[in-house]
C-alpha cells in the first residue's frame, strides 16, 4: 500500500469511527454530516471523495457494523468442538445443537459487548440509505450469512435439522435473536440479555430440530 493509499484508508477509518461515536452519543438526531466532519476533523470534500455522500458513509458504517456482528457469530460457530461427521447420530446431533446455540449466544454477546455497533445495525435496518447501496451491503452480508447457513447444511442433509429454504432457516435462527436484541437496545421493559442467552438457545434449537430426530443429550 502506497503512502497515499494508507492516508486515504486512515481518513476513511477516522470518518467511520467518528460517525459511530456520534451515533452512540447523540443518536440519529446528532448523526449529521456537519457533526461527523467536525468531530473527525475531515473536510466535507474528503468525505464525499471517500464515500460519495453522507448516505454513502452511513451505508459503509452499516456494512462495517453488520460485518462485525456476523463475524462474531461465525467465530462462535468456529469455536464449537469438532465432532465425528458420520459418527453416532446422537453425537452429530449434539454438535448441530451446539452450533445453533453458538449462533444465538454469539449474536447476543456481540450486542452486549458492542452496543453502539449493534444499535446502528438494528436502528438502520430499514433506513432509506440502504436501498441505494444494496450492492455494498450484499458484498459484506451475503458471504458471511452463506457461511452460517452452510455450517448447518450437512445436518439438514443428515435429517437432523429441518429442511427448509435458507431464508426460512435464517428467520428461525436469527429472527428471534435479532428481535430480542432490537428490543433490548431500544430499552423495552422485560428484556434481559442474560436471561435470553440462557433460555433462547434451546428453544431455537427445538424449532430447527427435525421432528423425527432423537433429542440430543
Amino acid at each position: 500500500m502506497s503512502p497515499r493509499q494508507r492516508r486515504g484508508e486512515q481518513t476513511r477509518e477516522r470518518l467511520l469511527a467518528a460517525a459511530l461515536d456520534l451515533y452512540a452519543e447523540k443518536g440519529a438526531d446528532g448523526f449529521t454530516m456537519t457533526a461527523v466532519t467536525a468531530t473527525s476533523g475531515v473536510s466535507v470534500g474528503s468525505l464525499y471523495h471517500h464515500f460519495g455522500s453522507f448516505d454513502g458513509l452511513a451505508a459503509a458504517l452499516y456494512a462495517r457494523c453488520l460485518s462485525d456482528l456476523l463475524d462474531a457469530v461465525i467465530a462462535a460457530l468456529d469455536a464449537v468442538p469438532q465432532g465425528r461427521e458420520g459418527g453416532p447420530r446422537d453425537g452429530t446431533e449434539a454438535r448441530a445443537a451446539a452450533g445453533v446455540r453458538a449462533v444465538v449466544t454469539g449474536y447476543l454477546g456481540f450486542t452486549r459487548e458492542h452496543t453502539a455497533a449493534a444499535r446502528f445495525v438494528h436502528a438502520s435496518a430499514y433506513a432509506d440509505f440502504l436501498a441505494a447501496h444494496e450492492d455494498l451491503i450484499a458484498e459484506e452480508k451475503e458471504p458471511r450469512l452463506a457461511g452460517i447457513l452452510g455450517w448447518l447444511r450437512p445436518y439438514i442433509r443428515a435429517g437432523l435439522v429441518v429442511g427448509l429454504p435458507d431464508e426460512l432457516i435464517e428467520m428461525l435462527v436469527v429472527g428471534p435473536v435479532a428481535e430480542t436484541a432490537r428490543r433490548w437496545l431500544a430499552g423495552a421493559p422485560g428484556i434481559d440479555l442474560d436471561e435470553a442467552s440462557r433460555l433462547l438457545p434451546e428453544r431455537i434449537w427445538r424449532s430447527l430440530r427435525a421432528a423425527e430426530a432423537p433429542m440430543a443429550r
Side-chain angles (χ1 to χ4, degrees):
M1 183 183 294
S2 70
R4 182 176 180 180
Q5 290 173 321
R6 191 175 298 109
R7 287 194 300 272
E9 186 62 26
Q10 289 170 347
T11 299
R12 282 179 55 89
E13 291 301 317
R14 282 167 59 192
L15 285 164
L16 289 169
L20 184 58
D21 288 345
L22 273 168
Y23 194 90
E25 181 182 353
K26 299 185 177 179
D29 291 341
F31 185 65
T32 66
M33 182 165 60
T34 299
V36 169
T37 53
T39 300
S40 65
V42 176
S43 69
V44 172
S46 187
L47 184 153
Y48 272 77
H49 171 73
H50 289 289
F51 297 102
S53 65
F54 187 67
D55 279 358
L57 169 66
L61 180 59
Y62 177 87
R64 167 72 61 83
C65 293
L66 180 62
S67 297
D68 289 346
L69 169 58
L70 294 177
D71 284 345
V73 171
I74 291 169
L77 268 178
D78 288 343
V80 174
Q82 292 289 331
R84 288 192 302 151
E85 299 299 339
R89 184 182 180 93
D90 285 352
T92 307
E93 184 186 354
R95 186 166 188 263
V100 171
R101 295 176 185 124
V103 171
V104 177
T105 56
Y107 196 114
L108 294 178
F110 180 90
T111 300
R112 180 189 295 106
E113 295 167 18
H114 303 278
T115 303
R119 179 173 285 114
F120 191 80
V121 168
H122 288 85
S124 304
Y126 300 101
D128 292 340
F129 64 77
L130 294 185
H133 299 86
E134 58 184 358
D135 290 344
L136 169 65
I137 308 303
E139 182 180 350
E140 298 294 329
K141 177 182 178 180
E142 296 308 325
R144 290 172 169 85
L145 194 57
I148 294 169
L149 295 172
W151 195 96
L152 283 171
R153 201 159 284 121
Y155 303 104
I156 297 173
R157 291 196 295 267
L160 298 169
V161 173
V162 64
L164 292 173
D166 283 352
E167 294 79 6
L168 295 183
I169 293 288
E170 180 187 349
M171 290 301 100
L172 287 175
V173 179
V174 179
V177 192
E179 180 62 15
T180 298
R182 186 191 68 78
R183 293 191 186 192
W184 181 78
L185 290 162
I191 302 296
D192 179 271
L193 286 194
D194 290 332
E195 182 178 51
S197 296
R198 181 170 57 85
L199 297 178
L200 284 181
E202 181 63 24
R203 274 53 181 189
I204 291 174
W205 162 242
R206 289 182 183 183
S207 74
L208 285 160
R209 175 182 164 273
E212 67 275 13
M215 284 297 291
R217 292 177 175 83

